């Protein structure tokens, strides 16, 4: 009995212990370790800084002539050249259809001949008319003089015969009247002679003016005829012909459709934004077909005449003293010009320098590994580096990223 009780007590004791919950294990909190910061850096050093510009230029002629029909448009009757053709000075390059102009010229020539004939006829008729009047007056004057002499003789005879006073006075009156008639005829003769000269001068001058006007009009027609033909102003090469034009097409006045260049006087020409930085007399290196040549700047926007500035405001021309052989207009070359150069100066890469609001600053890593910002003063620059005037020293570590 006692044994049974002891067994039951032991069982209960064991069961009670199982009913008490076990103590949970202590939780461990995670620890966040910050990632290690890494930078891309570069050390400030010394070196050379070269500020240079480069670009592409092309062979051009120093003398180029853009050609057009200046005064009149018309239908193209002849186009005698093509691009690349060599031409001689005075050679016909193109012409307009001028058949109607030829007709006008012939008409004007005939009009001039007609005026010449009219001038001769008018002078002859007036000469004949005036000559007749003068001859008539001269005969009249001669007759009046004879009549005067006759009256004088009668008066002398009457005096010799002691004629009555009435007869004598009558003869004297007749003599005075005859003298007045003679004076009147002489005045009329003088007037006719003067009129003849005035008429001659006036008529001749009037017709001469008509003739001069007609001749000027003919000259204008000849001038228009000559301007309907384009000839080469120089011996050279045709470097441009408008491919859209053909014989029979209408060409507007002032339309440039042919350009002739003097191939004996060639230059290299660059057009672009770099022109503003290039000065007269600068030395440049030109690479032509893989070979370098030393060239000199011979024209800049500031050196051209004011009336040509708009056309050349972005243009620079280079001349090589000894031009490569077999150059043709349009040939391409590369140029390079050193604007400024500093040797053995403190330099920093441009990608480590930040420009902001007109100033410059850089991120520098201190000896303890901390980052700081510094104001920087820069000098000249190359494509990749700045010259450092202040704010950085040789050996400083720049943070790029």
């Amino acid at each position: 009995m006692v044994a049974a009780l002891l067994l039951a007590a032991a069982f209960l004791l064991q069961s009670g212990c199982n009913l008490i919950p076990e103590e949970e294990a202590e939780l461990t909190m995670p620890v966040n370790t910050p990632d290690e910061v890494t930078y891309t850096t570069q050390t400030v050093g010394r070196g050379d800084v070269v500020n240079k510009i480069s670009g592409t230029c092309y062979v051009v002629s120093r003398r180029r002539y853009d050609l057009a029909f200046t005064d009149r448009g018309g239908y193209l009757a002849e186009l005698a050249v093509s691009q690349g053709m060599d031409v001689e000075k005075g050679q016909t390059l193109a012409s307009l259809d001028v058949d109607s102009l030829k007709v006008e010229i012939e008409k004007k020539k005939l009009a001039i001949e007609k005026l010449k004939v009219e001038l001769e006829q008018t002078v002859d008729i007036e000469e004949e008319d005036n000559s007749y009047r003068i001859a008539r007056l001269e005969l009249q004057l001669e007759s009046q003089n004879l009549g005067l002499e006759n009256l004088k003789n009668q008066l002398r005879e009457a005096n010799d015969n002691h004629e009555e006073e009435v007869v004598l006075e009558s003869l004297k009156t007749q003599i005075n009247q005859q003298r007045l008639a003679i004076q009147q005829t002489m005045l009329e003769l003088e007037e006719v002679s003067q009129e003849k000269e005035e008429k001659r001068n006036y008529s001749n001058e009037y017709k001469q003016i008509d003739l001069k006007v007609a001749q000027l009009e003919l000259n204008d027609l000849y001038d228009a005829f000559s301007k309907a033909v384009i000839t080469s102003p120089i011996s050279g090469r045709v470097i441009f012909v408008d491919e859209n034009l053909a014989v029979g097409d209408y060409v507007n006045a002032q339309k440039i459709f042919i350009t002739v260049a003097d191939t004996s006087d060639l230059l290299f020409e660059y057009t672009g934004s770099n022109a503003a930085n290039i000065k007269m007399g600068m030395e440049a290196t030109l690479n032509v077909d893989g070979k370098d040549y030393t060239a000199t700047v011979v024209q800049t926007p500031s050196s051209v005449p004011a009336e040509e500035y708009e056309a050349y405001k972005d243009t620079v021309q280079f001349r090589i003293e000894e031009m490569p052989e077999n150059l043709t207009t349009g040939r391409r070359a590369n140029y390079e010009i050193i604007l400024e150069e500093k040797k053995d100066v403190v330099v920093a890469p441009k990608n480590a320098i930040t420009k902001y609001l007109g100033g410059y600053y850089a991120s520098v890593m201190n000896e303890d590994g901390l980052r700081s910002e510094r104001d920087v003063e820069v000098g000249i620059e190359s494509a990749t580096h700045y010259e450092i005037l202040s704010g950085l020293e040789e050996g400083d570590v720049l943070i790029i990223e």
Side-chain angles (χ1 to χ4, degrees), residues 261-286:
D262 181 0
T263 53
S264 66
D265 190 6
L266 299 178
L267 298 167
F268 289 84
E269 186 174 274
Y270 160 78
T271 300
S273 59
N274 284 341
N277 300 315
I278 301 175
K279 310 299 180 186
M280 281 287 291
M282 278 185 170
E283 191 174 280
T285 300
L286 268 60

Side-chain angles (χ1 to χ4, degrees), residues 55-118:
T56 302
C57 55
Y58 298 88
V59 177
V60 299
S61 171
R62 190 176 184 86
R63 291 198 301 159
R64 289 174 288 181
Y65 295 87
D66 295 326
L67 305 177
F69 296 110
T70 55
D71 288 346
R72 59 180 291 164
Y75 291 97
L76 196 61
E78 180 184 17
L79 184 58
V81 292
S82 57
Q83 188 165 324
M85 182 183 294
D86 291 326
V87 294
E88 297 297 324
K89 183 177 181 178
Q91 180 176 334
T92 296
L93 309 182
S95 62
L96 295 176
D97 182 353
V98 289
D99 287 345
S100 61
L101 198 56
K102 290 179 181 177
V103 172
E104 290 181 43
I105 288 174
E106 290 304 316
K107 285 182 177 179
K108 188 57 65 176
K109 288 167 69 175
L110 290 173
I112 288 174
E113 290 302 317
K114 182 181 177 183
L115 280 170
K116 288 180 178 178
V117 172
E118 289 178 353

Side-chain angles (χ1 to χ4, degrees), residues 369-390:
L370 297 178
R371 177 177 184 153
S372 63
E373 305 295 333
R374 292 190 194 173
D375 290 327
V376 178
E377 184 182 358
V378 303
I380 69 171
E381 61 181 283
S382 68
T384 58
H385 287 77
Y386 284 117
E387 173 197 12
I388 303 301
L389 300 177
S390 65

Side-chain angles (χ1 to χ4, degrees), residues 39 54 68 73 81 99 204 250 309 346 350 379:
Y39 296 106
S54 59
V81 292
D99 287 345
N204 188 50
Y250 189 87
Y309 177 77
V346 177
K350 294 178 78 171

